[in-house]
Amino acid sequence: MAEREARGRGVEIVEVGPRDGLQNEEKTLTVEEKVELIRRLVAAGLRRIEAVSFVNPRRVPQMAGAEEVMAGVERLPGVSYIGLALNRRGLDRALAAGVDEVNVAVPATDGFCVRNQGCTVEEMMDAFDGIAAACLEAGTPVSVTVSTAFGCPFDGETPPERVAEIARRAAAAGAWEVAIADTIGVGVPRQVADLVGRVRAAAPEAVLRCHFHNTRNTGYANALTAVEQGVTVLDSSVGGFGGCPFAPAATGNIGTEDLVYMLERGGSGTGVALAETSAAAEWLGSRLGKTPPAQLSRAGAFPAGG
């Protein structure tokens, strides 16, 4: 569904700033500020937004107030709000809050899974089977993000075969979309091309999405490689904010405005307004007391105002 729609305008961007972009920041935004951020992103043309995370706020206080955020966002035709859930309790909260989609993160390595989610990968996949069944019953689409797909801060290199197997199991359980995520930003284009091919072969019926961090300045090259391999859905975070509190030294996601600039200049439409996205990044930076990491905030678009 999303992949077919995305092909009509080039590349669909899933905005993860309100969730992944905020979860590692020292300053916690208020519910009202989170709702305003989402409003600005929708106004910029973003149509799939990972708005909230239904995790324990004691572990990730930046994600507190998920229900209040969902109650505060404007519901508009064509706009889909995604909620992250890691277990059945999180799923129940997400469904009660009225999310349009549920996303479940399944790490590809036990080292990260135990620290981030308190269970092994096999246990997380068993949990996903139940989550997927409940989503199907509720009529809510469910997707899977395979995190640490390229490498793990605790276990080292991630075997690509394991990523493909998780994708296969997730699709078989009911995931309509599978994302491969470079959580700590260690992947390079050759690995992206290889892993995209493996996951597509393992889960041919699922839409394929990619999620890159720019920790080692390979995130944008990886995104371009994914597009060249036929991927039509990419995650990004406004301003390039992001990271993971359970992944040492993990820095921000690729920035939405930088990604839009690269894709549009390369001939791939996104449906996202660059000036409005950059303005949203500056607004978020002012609330966090930080300069947005994304390069466009410093260099500007070319031509000026483009």
Side-chain angles (χ1 to χ4, degrees):
M1 176 181 64
E3 195 166 37
R4 288 195 297 272
E5 293 174 356
R7 285 192 186 117
R9 61 177 184 271
V11 176
E12 179 181 47
I13 294 177
V14 176
E15 173 59 57
V16 301
R19 197 279 299 177
D20 205 352
L22 299 181
Q23 70 175 0
N24 208 37
E25 291 297 322
E26 290 184 10
K27 182 176 180 181
T28 299
L29 297 190
T30 65
V31 167
E32 293 73 20
E33 287 172 323
K34 293 175 184 177
V35 170
E36 175 62 15
L37 172 61
I38 293 168
R39 186 197 68 77
R40 289 169 178 262
L41 295 170
V42 171
L46 291 146
R47 291 298 176 261
R48 289 180 70 198
I49 298 174
E50 193 173 48
V52 287
S53 174
F54 295 92
V55 296
N56 188 334
R58 288 192 298 271
R59 295 199 74 201
V60 190
Q62 298 89 337
M63 294 293 99
E67 285 85 354
E68 291 81 0
V69 171
M70 286 304 303
V73 295
E74 186 176 7
R75 302 299 183 117
L76 297 171
V79 176
S80 183
Y81 296 118
I82 305 168
L84 179 74
L86 301 182
N87 50 40
R88 185 55 191 261
R89 174 169 170 71
L91 172 67
D92 291 343
R93 291 176 60 199
L95 294 178
V99 300
D100 299 300
E101 304 176 44
V102 170
N103 183 50
V104 181
V106 177
T109 60
D110 285 325
F112 188 79
C113 199
V114 168
R115 287 167 175 82
N116 189 54
Q117 288 157 235
C119 63
T120 66
V121 175
E122 187 63 29
E123 289 168 339
M124 189 62 212
M125 283 306 305
D126 289 342
F128 178 74
D129 290 340
I131 291 172
C135 284
L136 291 173
E137 183 177 350
T140 303
V142 61
S143 61
V144 159
T145 296
V146 186
S147 53
T148 60
F150 294 85
C152 173
F154 310 107
D155 295 352
E157 296 286 351
T158 301
E161 298 84 2
R162 192 170 201 191
V163 177
E165 176 57 18
I166 293 171
R168 184 197 66 76
R169 283 191 58 182
W176 75 277
E177 180 182 69
V178 174
I180 51 177
D182 189 6
T183 308
I184 58 173
V186 294
V188 297
R190 180 189 60 78
Q191 291 175 291
V192 172
D194 175 69
L195 200 52
V196 163
R198 290 174 184 266
V199 171
R200 184 172 281 133
E205 298 303 315
V207 173
L208 181 55
R209 174 165 52 91
C210 287
H211 176 109
F212 298 113
H213 287 244
N214 200 39
T215 312
R216 292 164 179 82
N217 284 330
T218 60
Y220 298 98
N222 289 341
L224 184 58
T225 299
V227 171
E228 291 172 344
Q229 294 298 314
V231 173
T232 58
V233 191
L234 294 171
D235 288 357
S236 63
S237 173
V238 64
F241 292 104
C244 177
F246 305 103
T251 55
N253 303 69
I254 55 175
T256 302
E257 60 271 39
D258 286 357
L259 179 62
V260 169
Y261 179 80
M262 180 181 74
L263 293 173
E264 296 277 356
R265 288 274 290 177
S268 296
T270 63
V272 178
L274 186 58
E276 285 82 350
T277 306
S278 296
E282 293 295 331
W283 180 88
L284 177 56
S286 71
R287 294 305 182 275
L288 295 174
K290 299 173 67 173
T291 299
Q295 187 66 29
L296 203 70
S297 297
R298 293 182 293 274
F302 177 83

